[in-house]
Amino acid sequence: MRSAAADLARPGAAWAVPGLVFFCLFALVPMVGVVYLSLTSWDGLSDPQFTGLQNWSRFLGDGQMWQDTVVTAVLLVGNIVVQAPISILLGVWSAGKQRNRAVLSAIFFLPLLFSTAATAVMWRQLLDPNFGIPAKLSGLIGDTNLLGSQSGAVACLVLVTSWQFIPFHTLLYQGAARTVPETLYQAAAIDGAGRVRQFFAITLPQLRNTIVTSTIFMVVGGLTAFDIVLLLTDGGPGTDTSILPFAMYQTGFQTYDYGYASVIASFLLLLATGASFVMVKLSGYDKMTSTLEGM
Amino acid sequence: MRSRPNYLAGIAAFAWLLIIGTPLYALVNSSLESQSQYSDRGPLSLPSGITFHNFATVVDSGFLGYLWNTILVAAATVAIVLLLAVPISYAVVRGRSWLTRGVFRLFLLGLAIPAQAVIIPLFLIINRLGFYDTLWGVILPTAAFSLPVSVLVISGGMREISVSLYEAMALDGARPARILWDLVVPLSRSSIASASVFAALQAWNGFLFPLIMTQSNSNKLVTLGLYNFVSSYGADIPALLAAVLMSAIPILLVYLFARRALVAGLMGAGGK
């Protein structure tokens, strides 16, 4: 059914223009800008000097950058491996209507009230080798300086990030788990499927979209996790936990080598858009455009 | 149905309670201790001799001003995001032009742009616009980077509105603006609320933009205030922890008085 009245009642593209211009100015233009700056040498004061691919070839031969990339990847994977299963289980559990679950869920939410900066400052003190929790457990764990080795510091970063963000992902799964039709479970129960079987045969497949969304959040969050590194480990010990965004910040805003910092930034951009492109394609998320549309 | 209690899950939930609760207990307990008590007994001691001295130290350092700045930034960010994301989503869901289809894909891709990656040119742009070291220098980029999620969430909500409602209004001769105001906004209220909660938390949590875009003490946000507090009061751990606790108080109040709205809002941020 198409009539003149129906067409007049539809918003034109002009409705999207203000937001589009705004987003272009503050997100897309800088995206092009950073790629351009990566081809220059620039100290932030004089004009950028075009140097071609010089920064990029330096980047490819920079051993520290390789290490930073590996640490970024390890943190990213570590965070997903720890957070995803716990959030899914907690989310499904808290989707139940029992009273005790509601009370506990209200407590489980609390870490979300803290900013990443606050969380990192708090944990830095709690993990302090002399005055923190490890000092009280020295009989149990031996070396109390958990942030003193690379593997320890990486583990702490995963722990603290998980502590802060699992509540958010749990909420996503809780919301999604509540929309799974109860009749699916009833049918499965009649067929004799137990709790575990129901989880794998019904709940997990039904949570598919949420798993994608939640993982995209984790990936983008992981690639920007700079505040937590700055405040918890300051990239240390040495440069052992200097992840890419942290290295970008130091190169640009502390040593004023904006050209080289732009290379690191462009590389981050490449990783993030690449990862989310793959996930969106795999999940068919972009086809969502027209479920109710088009009549 | 489903009556048998799940003991295994209960035990796991209790373990998780310890993981969540222990640091929080240490935080509250230590912020109420004197410095000497803390260094003697550590963060997990039983409470004794409560003092509010640490909170006084934090307030004296100008912390309330930082909190107020953060509240301003969060409010302005939400206002801008809604002003832009609602019309975009409306055009995406109901528009017929080729442009609006591209817009949705663009924001979907925009979801993946890390703010980190574009901070250097962004810094230049904010400088050129004359917003360096103003709260606008933080608000504008924060709003821009909250747009993709907001558009996805709000357009998701708008898609649930039945087509026959649109048609009924169109037959009555209603124009797009009236349809948006009378039909679309009321019926996608919950997704609009979700986007607001999400944008507010982005602003609340923001660290990079305030760090790069502001400088003077009068424009400091609470996350950055904490960062500076570490360098100036680093040895006074109870005061530091009191600052951490105070930084969460405004949002704790929201949680206490509007928990349902906050939780439902965040849940919706994942889309359907």
Side-chain angles (χ1 to χ4, degrees):
Chain A
M1 184 198 89
R2 295 198 57 176
S3 65
D7 272 352
L8 269 180
R10 283 181 184 271
W15 285 78
V17 169
L20 211 53
V21 170
F22 187 81
F23 188 65
C24 283
L25 178 61
F26 292 110
L28 298 184
V29 170
M31 222 165 99
V32 180
V34 77
V35 176
Y36 170 74
L37 284 176
S38 76
L39 304 174
T40 69
S41 165
W42 187 40
D43 59 7
L45 297 171
S46 49
D47 286 334
Q49 301 294 316
F50 191 81
T51 54
L53 290 173
Q54 203 178 310
N55 288 326
W56 282 91
S57 63
R58 181 179 148 204
F59 180 74
L60 291 178
D62 189 337
Q64 181 64 42
M65 286 305 137
W66 282 108
Q67 193 206 297
D68 292 357
T69 309
V70 171
V71 176
T72 310
V74 168
L75 266 179
L76 205 62
V77 173
N79 271 320
I80 294 174
V81 167
V82 171
Q83 292 184 46
I86 298 181
S87 324
I88 292 175
L89 289 173
L90 271 174
V92 171
W93 178 82
S94 55
K97 302 285 186 200
Q98 292 88 331
R99 176 105 192 106
N100 62 340
R101 295 190 182 189
V103 173
L104 281 176
S105 301
I107 298 173
F108 291 169
F109 184 89
L110 290 174
L112 266 183
L113 304 179
F114 296 91
S115 60
T116 306
T119 310
V121 169
M122 175 185 87
W123 275 100
R124 170 120 204 195
Q125 301 311 325
L126 296 185
L127 291 172
D128 188 276
N130 299 314
F131 297 108
I133 298 175
K136 300 294 157 196
L137 302 175
S138 55
L140 284 174
I141 54 175
D143 182 14
T144 59
N145 191 4
L146 298 180
L147 294 170
S149 67
Q150 184 175 36
S151 51
V154 167
C156 287
L157 283 169
V158 171
L159 170 90
V160 174
T161 311
S162 304
W163 186 85
Q164 193 195 1
F165 286 109
I166 282 178
F168 173 66
H169 297 285
T170 299
L171 269 187
L172 297 185
Y173 287 115
Q174 185 188 356
R178 284 201 176 140
T179 63
V180 179
E182 189 64 25
T183 47
L184 288 180
Y185 292 109
Q186 288 163 354
I190 290 167
D191 289 347
R195 198 171 261 146
V196 175
R197 186 75 201 284
Q198 290 183 11
F199 177 79
F200 284 104
I202 301 172
T203 315
L204 266 193
Q206 291 277 322
L207 293 178
R208 189 162 156 272
N209 276 341
T210 313
I211 293 173
V212 174
T213 320
S214 156
T215 312
I216 290 181
F217 275 125
M218 285 183 199
V219 170
V220 177
L223 289 176
T224 53
F226 141 85
D227 34 9
I228 191 156
V229 169
L230 181 72
L231 287 161
L232 193 68
T233 67
D234 200 15
T239 54
D240 280 355
T241 54
S242 156
I243 59 171
L244 288 169
F246 183 75
M248 191 278 303
Y249 169 75
Q250 282 195 318
T251 313
F253 294 95
Q254 287 180 342
T255 47
Y256 306 108
D257 188 352
Y258 289 108
Y260 195 49
S262 298
V263 175
I264 309 175
S266 306
F267 184 56
L268 264 179
L269 199 59
L270 208 66
L271 288 182
T273 42
S276 84
F277 186 75
V278 168
M279 301 215 53
V280 165
K281 278 292 158 204
L282 280 182
S283 64
Y285 202 49
D286 56 338
K287 311 246 164 41
M288 247 173 55
T289 32
S290 51
T291 42
L292 272 173
E293 230 336 67
M295 43 213 73
Chain B
M1 299 292 314
R2 302 229 273 162
S3 52
R4 191 163 49 96
N6 192 340
Y7 291 112
L8 200 63
I11 294 167
F14 183 72
W16 188 249
L17 179 66
L18 285 181
I19 295 175
I20 293 292
T22 311
L24 291 176
Y25 171 77
L27 175 69
V28 175
N29 181 43
S30 310
S31 68
L32 295 169
E33 279 184 330
S34 72
Q35 225 174 323
S36 62
Q37 270 176 316
Y38 183 82
S39 46
D40 283 352
R41 301 168 351 121
L44 288 178
S45 59
L46 291 171
S48 76
I50 286 176
T51 167
F52 289 97
H53 174 75
N54 302 312
F55 290 93
T57 311
V58 177
V59 170
D60 287 341
S61 77
F63 217 70
L64 295 181
Y66 309 154
L67 275 176
W68 176 241
N69 282 343
T70 301
I71 291 170
L72 287 181
V73 167
T77 302
V78 171
I80 294 177
V81 165
L82 292 189
L83 224 53
L84 298 174
V86 169
I88 296 174
S89 311
Y90 182 42
V92 163
V93 174
R94 291 296 294 171
R96 275 199 185 279
S97 102
W98 58 272
L99 190 69
T100 53
R101 302 200 180 268
V103 167
F104 185 75
R105 277 164 194 271
L106 180 81
F107 280 105
L108 204 56
L109 203 69
L111 202 60
I113 303 177
Q116 291 279 337
V118 297
I119 188 73
I120 295 169
L122 202 53
F123 173 63
L124 261 180
I125 292 173
I126 291 292
N127 248 317
R128 290 278 159 83
L129 293 174
F131 290 129
Y132 179 70
D133 200 20
T134 66
L135 292 183
W136 288 109
V138 179
I139 294 166
L140 297 175
T142 308
F145 279 87
S146 304
L147 270 184
V149 171
S150 305
V151 168
L152 295 193
V153 169
I154 296 177
S155 59
M158 289 182 180
R159 271 197 197 99
E160 311 266 297
I161 300 172
S162 143
V163 174
S164 53
L165 290 174
Y166 285 110
E167 282 169 355
M169 287 201 77
L171 285 177
D172 285 346
R175 289 303 165 92
R178 231 196 83 205
I179 297 180
L180 175 67
W181 194 248
D182 287 352
L183 172 75
V184 179
V185 168
L187 287 184
S188 47
R189 232 180 4 230
S190 71
S191 61
I192 292 176
S194 279
S196 313
V197 170
F198 187 82
L201 281 185
Q202 287 295 103
W204 189 259
N205 228 336
F207 186 83
L208 183 71
F209 292 141
L211 178 68
I212 304 291
M213 306 298 182
T214 66
Q215 191 179 27
S216 58
N217 207 37
S218 58
N219 291 322
K220 198 165 280 169
L221 300 192
V222 79
T223 42
L224 220 52
L226 268 176
Y227 180 47
N228 288 21
F229 205 84
V230 173
S231 39
S232 39
Y233 292 84
D236 191 350
I237 296 167
L240 206 57
L241 294 175
V244 168
L245 198 56
M246 274 192 74
S247 76
I249 283 178
I251 199 161
L252 180 68
L253 292 178
V254 175
Y255 185 60
L256 286 180
F257 293 109
R259 192 168 69 83
R260 254 168 227 282
L262 189 64
V263 169
L266 272 175
M267 249 183 216
K272 301 267 157 57

